[in-house]
Amino acid sequence: MLVVDKLGKTYGTGATQYEAIDEISFEVRRGEFVCIVGPSGCGKTTLLKAMAGLHSPTRGVTRLNDRAVTGPPAEMAVVFQEYGRSLMPWLTVKDNVLLPLRSRKMSSAERKQRVAESLNSVGLGAAGEKYPWQLSGGMQQRVAIARALAYKPDILLMDEPFASVDAQTRGDLEDLILKVRDEFGVTIVLVTHDIDESVYLSDRIVVLTNAPTRVNEVIDVDLGKPRDQVETKELPAFAHLRAHVYRLIRHREAEQ
Ligand code: ADP
Ligand code: MG
């Protein structure tokens, strides 16, 4: 469904030139949950922005449903780490979720229905009239997720979406995103520097190297479903995968 083909990104020119991504290729199948994991500063946000058509890669191409991505595709939604900045403080939760639907051709009844449905699916059915600043960080991020879901994307890209919330909330949000993935049948690509998170959520993990970044290894995660914060994480297979990804990332860091 999504093909990243020999993508590369060099920032700047001449003496200030910085090669963030050397060359990255991988594929995402329809319905899959793929985590991209790599150390901070390795170019994860750079990669995600290029995949989302938010900036142009220096080399290579991303194809979504066989079409090259040259700008934000209609069938894709993106959730960023800084949920605080991505929500409009002067709009209610409902209106924030409604915002991207305004440009869509549909009746106002259908829009309302979509907003209600997606707020319900993230457990915020009763918070529609509140303002973002009246909500906790975890709730704000759920609003951002609801807004992306209301759009009914085929594919959802997420950039470290749970990095700024406490550990308990983070676990809850991880389980929430697995639940909505099943409910909405959406394909998800999630970028994270958190190794445990990448193993817990994924069907497949793409492990990146340090900059200039390449794909270190692509790993199948056969942990079964549904995942459970306690039971999945005490499986020997979980510990094994976690150790494997950890070594891949640590080993590369030690070389530099
Ligand atoms: P990550 O998301 O993995 O932490 P980023 O993609 O944000 O990494 O950044 C990768 C590298 O590219 C960093 O060294 C960063 O300083 C550099 N970088 C990111 N954006 C720009 C930019 N607009 N101009 C120049 N360098 C940038
Ligand atoms: Mg980043």
Side-chain angles (χ1 to χ4, degrees):
M1 173 183 198
L2 184 87
V3 179
V4 174
D5 190 10
K6 299 198 175 86
L7 203 81
K9 180 77 180 178
T10 307
Y11 284 116
T13 49
T16 61
Q17 187 165 312
Y18 179 76
E19 191 165 331
I21 298 176
D22 177 12
E23 187 183 294
I24 291 183
S25 300
F26 64 93
E27 294 184 16
V28 180
R29 301 175 202 123
R30 188 171 294 278
E32 216 177 9
F33 199 131
V34 172
C35 282
I36 299 171
V37 65
S40 288
C42 81
K44 299 182 296 297
T45 298
T46 301
L47 171 64
L48 191 115
K49 281 186 175 164
M51 288 163 66
L54 295 170
H55 68 194
S56 331
T58 314
R59 303 169 289 279
V61 69
T62 300
R63 279 188 293 275
L64 178 60
N65 297 321
D66 293 325
R67 281 196 313 276
V69 172
T70 51
E75 62 269 48
M76 182 187 274
V78 186
V79 173
F80 291 103
Q81 178 177 349
E82 303 95 8
Y83 47 79
R85 276 198 283 158
S86 78
L87 300 175
M88 308 293 170
W90 60 87
L91 293 178
T92 62
V93 164
K94 253 184 189 164
D95 287 338
N96 265 287
V97 177
L98 184 67
L99 202 60
L101 296 182
R102 289 224 187 116
S103 58
R104 288 259 166 135
K105 257 198 185 148
M106 57 174 83
S107 68
S108 68
E110 198 180 340
R111 282 200 189 104
K112 259 193 173 161
Q113 161 72 23
R114 285 254 192 124
V115 171
E117 187 185 75
S118 51
L119 279 174
N120 278 334
S121 74
V122 301
L124 287 179
E129 302 302 334
K130 289 201 156 61
Y131 287 88
W133 41 269
Q134 294 177 299
L135 307 177
S136 68
M139 286 166 90
Q140 289 180 31
Q141 190 58 306
R142 282 193 275 156
V143 177
I145 293 168
R147 185 176 56 186
L149 292 172
Y151 200 69
K152 295 234 165 131
D154 284 349
I155 185 161
L156 178 59
L157 304 190
M158 307 180 96
D159 189 5
E160 311 226 26
F162 314 136
S164 349
V165 296
D166 61 82
Q168 173 72 45
T169 306
R170 185 178 190 132
D172 293 345
L173 287 172
E174 287 169 0
D175 289 338
L176 175 83
I177 202 67
L178 288 174
K179 179 186 79 106
V180 297
R181 184 272 290 263
D182 292 336
E183 270 176 29
F184 286 74
V186 62
T187 306
I188 299 181
V189 179
L190 185 148
V191 156
T192 182
H193 70 268
D194 187 299
I195 293 167
D196 284 54
E197 181 165 275
S198 73
V199 175
Y200 184 68
L201 293 173
S202 289
D203 297 318
R204 249 165 3 114
I205 309 173
V206 177
V207 185
L208 302 180
T209 67
N210 278 313
T213 308
R214 302 180 70 91
V215 174
N216 192 334
E217 195 172 311
V218 178
I219 301 165
D220 285 316
V221 178
D222 298 317
L223 289 173
K225 285 178 199 165
R227 308 265 162 106
D228 181 277
Q229 290 289 348
V230 177
E231 282 166 26
T232 304
K233 288 182 176 172
E234 69 185 3
L235 293 173
F238 182 91
H240 180 76
L241 283 161
R242 183 186 175 283
H244 183 66
V245 178
Y246 198 84
R247 281 193 195 100
L248 285 173
I249 289 175
R250 265 306 156 87
H251 179 63
R252 294 294 298 210
E253 276 175 359
E255 271 177 7
Q256 310 215 340

